[in-house]
Amino acid sequence: MPRGASPKREREYNELEEKFEKEGRYKGREEEVAARIVNKQRKESGETKEQKGKSGDEGLPIKNYQQLTVTEIRSRLDELTAAQVRKIRSFEAAHKNRKGVLQALERRSK
């Protein structure tokens, strides 16, 4: 795994590698395939070096939105206007669609 990978990605990598070895898939290439899968996931979620600053969430009222956890997002919702809440809800529904965030947004808009 590349330096700077999160503990979550490290865990995913190790789990995939073990799974492939156990199932006998990708003989001799388990590490390579696991790394490719995890690196693809990192790139898609904007975690790679080349993606820093290009997360696709520019223009949202919460900075670095896609890298935040549900708890971190919830803690910042009270600072938003109704229009900003609508913008976040629309983005969340179109991208990650996390139930916890959508529920918090719904409660916030009432």
Side-chain angles (χ1 to χ4, degrees):
M1 284 300 308
R3 283 184 304 209
S6 70
K8 173 186 172 185
R9 298 297 184 199
E10 289 281 347
R11 188 173 52 255
E12 289 174 344
Y13 167 79
N14 291 328
E15 289 171 359
L16 284 170
E17 185 180 13
E18 288 174 17
K19 178 182 174 185
F20 295 154
E21 287 175 1
K22 188 182 231 182
E23 294 175 356
R25 293 170 55 189
Y26 310 110
K27 294 246 187 228
R29 296 183 33 229
E30 297 91 348
E31 291 177 16
E32 174 193 350
V33 174
R36 286 176 184 250
I37 290 170
V38 171
N39 282 332
K40 181 178 180 182
Q41 293 170 335
R42 290 177 63 231
K43 183 175 181 182
E44 288 174 351
S45 59
E47 298 171 26
T48 60
K49 197 175 198 178
E50 65 187 35
Q51 293 292 321
K52 297 290 181 190
K54 299 179 183 178
S55 62
D57 58 10
E58 295 89 12
L60 290 178
I62 299 176
K63 187 173 179 174
N64 298 320
Y65 179 82
Q66 290 199 89
Q67 282 72 45
L68 300 178
T69 64
V70 171
T71 304
E72 292 169 329
I73 292 169
R74 283 182 181 164
S75 71
R76 296 182 178 154
L77 293 180
D78 288 337
E79 305 164 2
L80 304 178
T81 66
Q84 290 172 323
V85 169
R86 285 191 300 273
K87 193 171 197 176
I88 291 288
R89 183 185 305 116
S90 175
F91 183 87
E92 182 66 35
H95 291 85
K96 292 189 176 186
N97 205 27
R98 294 173 285 189
K99 184 177 177 181
V101 173
L102 293 172
Q103 288 175 341
L105 289 165
E106 187 64 31
R107 282 192 297 271
R108 169 65 173 76
S109 63
K110 289 182 180 180

